[in-house]
Amino acid sequence: CTVPGGGSLHPHESSFNYFEGRMSELRQVFIAELGDILKAVFEEAQWKPSDIKYFFIHQVSLDTFDTLARIFNLPRERFLHSFTKYGNIAAASIPVNLHEAVAAGKVQKGDKLMFIGFGAGISIGLQLMVW
């Protein structure tokens, strides 16, 4: 994923100032890498995916939630999002969705939660939390 404009290569050419990426290929790499990472995280924490009440994920697309629900073999409803309300709000999606879940009374003391952040160029951040 790149933005080919700006800098010294194309400093004033507006035709280069857009986001460009091979998203389907990037998605496949995320899916391939995520499995091993998740396995290690759950083993270290001695948790199972089914222990997690809700998953909060960087909301790139609605399909992301369906894909992760299939990977975890869990109901789609456990993957909270506000994509249809806000769209892709990047790094803000996780705290915004957590706030909305807490405000709605969905998250209770003692609930196990998982936070998953993705970044282009391929970075994956995972966090487990007991509320």
Side-chain angles (χ1 to χ4, degrees):
C1 297
T2 60
V3 178
S8 59
L9 183 61
H10 302 287
H12 303 292
E13 295 181 47
S14 63
S15 63
F16 290 100
N17 293 328
Y18 57 89
F19 182 79
E20 185 178 280
R22 297 189 318 244
M23 301 313 290
S24 61
E25 293 174 35
L26 185 60
R27 182 172 185 249
Q28 292 306 314
V29 173
F30 273 124
I31 290 170
E33 296 297 324
L34 188 59
D36 289 340
I37 295 168
L38 288 170
K39 182 179 176 185
V41 167
F42 282 116
E43 283 179 4
E44 184 175 335
Q46 297 180 352
W47 290 9
K48 303 181 301 283
S50 59
D51 294 335
I52 308 294
K53 183 171 183 183
Y54 291 115
F55 295 79
F56 297 89
I57 300 162
H58 175 178
Q59 53 192 45
V60 178
S61 69
L62 282 177
D63 185 58
T64 302
F65 301 99
D66 296 330
T67 299
L68 289 170
R70 282 192 304 275
I71 288 171
F72 284 104
N73 194 30
L74 293 171
R76 169 68 178 67
E77 295 75 30
R78 307 247 311 259
F79 297 81
L80 299 182
H81 73 88
S82 57
F83 192 84
T84 54
K85 187 175 181 181
Y86 303 118
N88 182 352
I89 54 176
S93 59
I94 292 172
V96 164
N97 292 319
L98 176 60
H99 168 77
E100 290 191 354
V102 171
K106 292 181 177 181
V107 176
Q108 304 295 318
K109 183 177 180 178
D111 286 346
K112 292 181 178 180
L113 310 174
M114 180 173 228
F115 304 90
I116 304 174
F118 300 117
I122 307 192
S123 61
I124 300 171
L126 301 170
Q127 181 177 9
L128 297 173
M129 175 187 292
V130 177
W131 189 257

